[in-house]
Amino acid sequence: MRDPVGSCYYNSLYQDVKRYSKHGEYFFKELMAVFQQRAELELNYAKGIQKLAGRLLRASKGMSNNSTYSAWCHVSDEMYSTADTHRTLGNAFQQEAILELRQVLDEHSKRKRPLDNHVEKTGKLLTANWNEQLKMKKKLVGITREHEALVNFVETNKQICTEKEKQKMLNRLTKSAQTQAKLDEEYFSRNMEGHQVRLKWENTLKNCYQIIQELEKQRLEILSTTLDRYRLHISGFGQSLMQGQRGVEQAMQRVDLQKDIQALVEETSATAQENKADFLMADYFEEDSKSLMGKERRRDAIKVKLQRLEESIAKTKKDCEGLLRLMKSISDDPSSANQKNMKETRQLLQETTLKQDLLEATHYKVSLALVALGECRAIHRFSHSISTWKDKDCEHSVIQLTRPVVMRSSRTRLSSRQTSSMYNKGGPPPDQGPPHPEQGPP
């Protein structure tokens, strides 16, 4: 069976940045443990500091190849030569570096903890909706097939039946038609809910991705700031530290925080030229030219389906026009209070535009069934976007829409001195919102 989440580029981005964050968190914990133990060793005249240097070196080897992490490899070299470091250095580690690292680690853990649960919850809703559509479709096809068989039976035998038998068959036919119509409406409703579930899942992935990426940028800034403070502390000690100090000094001169942050952004940012998403389309028994349904009944049934789709399309177009007018009204008054409303309106416009595309594509697909009945076939912008796949004895239609990967632009910070106030404030900048609906798929 086709995987409903396999074509989502947001999911790939989220999993990649999660792996990157996991390595960063591991390094952060190792670094904090190293500082804690080193402070204790410094207070006892650096007993066992060479063992810690090896631990830091091993932790650094697993990290990304950038100037910030590379500088910490040179710190491990310096630690080998500081066996006689004074108690003052140990006190400085305890009072500054360890406390700040623990505070940042706790804050990051608290912010990241609910993300996976949220992604998993929305992903399950998407899969459940997808599977429910398939089940309801199979059930609808079966009931419709039985109904059509009953119709054919009544038409074949109505001439030889008594009035009582005719009434009985008519009652059965009416009940069958009501059951089929009710299930058909439920199936259509579930199909229309599918795109909302999909967008909710994608928005969850996008927001969680942006939060983790922002935390990793803060982590790099904290590491750079801590490295700078470390250099300042050891530079005040005597000649016994000079050899190690020169190695750290040279490493610090090669640190390029802005370059490292840019590398982080490039490593975890969207690179795909196109983001194609699959949506399950509504398929109807009447579209099957090999069905038992008569030609005229089939033509009438298809036109009923098309009429419902046309009504939904007209309503959705009005909704889009209303949202565009609302966005224009909000943009005319760009106050801070309206920024949240603008973001929500943009998101709603994206959902409504997608709904309109799906309705129009479904209308086009269903109208193709009239070709075999003598109707003319029109050229449509979704002509090459619709494909089919088989699941046992049933065929399903899927439309693949090209949708842009909507990410806000990542902005690097200009000074590591701003680190404390930045990570205390927390929270990613506002989303840039979806593109204008006129920039939809070709």
Side-chain angles (χ1 to χ4, degrees):
M1 188 180 83
R2 195 168 208 167
D3 182 11
V5 303
S7 62
C8 183
Y9 193 69
Y10 289 108
N11 188 41
S12 299
L13 288 175
Y14 177 68
Q15 298 302 329
D16 289 342
V17 80
K18 256 184 59 176
R19 285 190 289 270
Y20 190 100
S21 179
K22 184 177 180 180
H23 293 314
E25 183 176 355
Y26 167 76
F27 181 84
F28 222 63
K29 291 178 179 179
E30 288 295 295
L31 180 60
M32 191 169 66
V34 166
F35 269 135
Q36 178 63 50
Q37 294 185 40
R38 182 174 177 182
E40 296 172 0
L41 291 171
E42 292 293 343
L43 295 173
N44 291 283
Y45 300 101
K47 292 180 181 180
I49 198 169
Q50 291 185 350
K51 181 179 179 180
L52 274 182
R55 181 175 179 178
L56 179 57
L57 181 61
R58 289 191 297 273
S60 300
K61 286 181 179 179
M63 302 313 301
S64 300
N65 185 20
N66 60 43
S67 60
T68 303
Y69 287 124
S70 297
W72 284 103
C73 295
H74 292 276
V75 172
S76 66
D77 296 336
E78 179 274 332
M79 289 174 67
Y80 280 113
S81 66
T82 56
D84 297 324
T85 304
H86 198 268
R87 179 179 286 105
T88 304
L89 186 58
N91 290 332
F93 284 154
Q94 286 184 332
Q95 296 171 9
E96 297 180 17
I98 296 174
L99 291 178
E100 183 174 19
L101 292 176
R102 181 177 290 112
Q103 179 184 358
V104 174
L105 185 62
D106 292 342
E107 179 187 350
H108 285 196
S109 298
K110 182 178 179 181
R111 293 189 63 186
K112 290 194 296 184
R113 193 174 297 117
L115 299 184
D116 277 342
N117 292 336
H118 199 187
V119 169
E120 182 180 3
K121 181 179 178 181
T122 52
K124 287 181 178 179
L125 290 176
L126 173 65
T127 303
N129 177 271
W130 181 284
N131 293 332
E132 190 174 358
Q133 285 191 61
L134 298 181
K135 291 180 181 179
M136 292 185 68
K137 176 186 174 179
K138 292 179 181 179
K139 185 176 180 180
L140 177 59
V141 169
I143 289 178
T144 306
R145 185 180 290 114
E146 293 174 0
H147 178 70
E148 293 304 315
L150 182 60
V151 171
N152 291 336
F153 176 81
V154 171
E155 291 178 353
T156 303
N157 297 276
K158 63 183 179 180
Q159 301 297 332
I160 60 176
C161 294
T162 64
E163 289 300 321
K164 183 177 181 180
E165 290 173 338
K166 288 181 180 180
Q167 185 61 41
K168 184 177 180 180
M169 288 190 296
L170 180 61
N171 292 338
R172 286 181 58 194
L173 192 61
T174 302
K175 183 177 180 181
S176 176
Q178 292 174 349
T179 302
Q180 191 266 350
K182 180 180 179 181
L183 186 58
D184 179 84
E185 190 64 31
E186 292 176 355
Y187 173 59
F188 177 80
S189 176
R190 191 71 67 236
N191 182 258
M192 289 297 97
E193 291 174 4
H195 81 281
Q196 296 178 349
V197 176
R198 172 80 184 207
L199 285 178
K200 181 179 179 181
W201 181 62
E202 288 184 353
N203 287 332
T204 299
L205 286 171
K206 179 182 66 174
N207 293 334
C208 293
Y209 159 86
Q210 292 172 342
I211 291 173
I212 293 178
Q213 187 187 71
E214 192 69 16
L215 294 179
E216 289 309 303
K217 289 166 63 177
Q218 292 179 3
R219 193 194 306 280
L220 280 174
E221 291 171 344
I222 292 296
L223 287 172
S224 179
T225 302
T226 306
L227 186 63
D228 189 49
R229 292 176 180 174
Y230 177 88
R231 178 187 61 82
L232 292 174
H233 279 299
I234 65 171
S235 66
F237 290 87
Q239 293 297 322
S240 61
L241 301 178
M242 290 300 297
Q243 184 177 359
Q245 178 189 343
R246 283 195 292 270
V248 176
E249 190 72 34
Q250 293 171 0
M252 269 304 305
Q253 291 174 359
R254 291 193 295 271
V255 170
D256 187 345
L257 176 60
Q258 302 306 316
K259 182 179 179 180
D260 292 348
I261 291 179
Q262 185 61 34
L264 162 66
V265 173
E266 292 175 357
E267 250 185 276
T268 60
S269 291
T271 57
Q273 297 298 320
E274 290 185 341
N275 172 34
K276 296 183 179 294
D278 290 342
F279 294 90
L280 200 62
M281 303 181 71
D283 294 317
Y284 297 105
F285 181 86
E286 293 84 351
E287 296 179 69
D288 186 3
S289 60
K290 299 178 181 179
S291 65
L292 300 175
M293 185 179 291
K295 184 175 181 180
E296 292 302 323
R297 279 177 43 75
R298 183 165 167 251
R299 187 197 306 273
D300 293 341
I302 291 174
K303 289 183 177 181
V304 170
K305 296 290 191 299
L306 291 175
Q307 178 63 31
R308 179 174 62 183
L309 288 168
E310 289 167 1
E311 292 173 357
S312 298
I313 291 171
K315 181 179 181 302
T316 306
K317 285 182 178 180
K318 290 182 179 180
D319 292 341
C320 285
E321 293 171 357
L323 290 171
L324 288 172
R325 289 193 296 269
L326 179 58
M327 288 179 62
K328 185 178 184 304
S329 175
I330 295 176
S331 62
D332 291 340
D333 181 19
S335 61
S336 58
N338 282 333
Q339 293 305 312
K340 182 177 180 181
N341 291 336
M342 176 63 80
K343 178 180 177 180
E344 293 175 350
T345 305
R346 282 175 176 168
Q347 182 174 334
L348 186 57
L349 178 60
Q350 182 190 33
E351 296 179 9
T352 308
T353 303
L354 176 59
K355 179 180 178 181
Q356 180 178 336
D357 288 343
L358 293 175
L359 287 169
E360 290 180 358
T362 303
H363 185 278
Y364 164 71
K365 180 182 70 69
V366 175
S367 67
L368 293 181
L370 295 178
V371 174
L373 300 174
E375 302 286 345
C376 297
R377 178 176 180 176
I379 299 177
H380 196 273
R381 62 191 178 107
F382 294 124
S383 300
H384 303 292
S385 301
I386 300 174
S387 60
T388 60
W389 59 282
K390 291 186 177 180
D391 181 8
K392 294 183 179 179
D393 60 340
C394 205
E395 187 174 80
H396 310 283
S397 298
V398 174
I399 182 171
Q400 191 173 73
L401 299 179
T402 301
R403 303 178 60 232
V405 178
V406 183
M407 289 290 177
R408 68 164 193 267
S409 58
S410 299
R411 302 177 216 169
T412 58
R413 291 167 176 76
L414 300 179
S415 173
S416 61
R417 295 179 183 176
Q418 303 172 353
T419 299
S420 298
S421 61
M422 289 178 182
Y423 78 72
N424 284 332
K425 291 178 181 178
D431 193 350
Q432 296 300 317
H436 193 277
E438 294 180 358
Q439 300 175 354

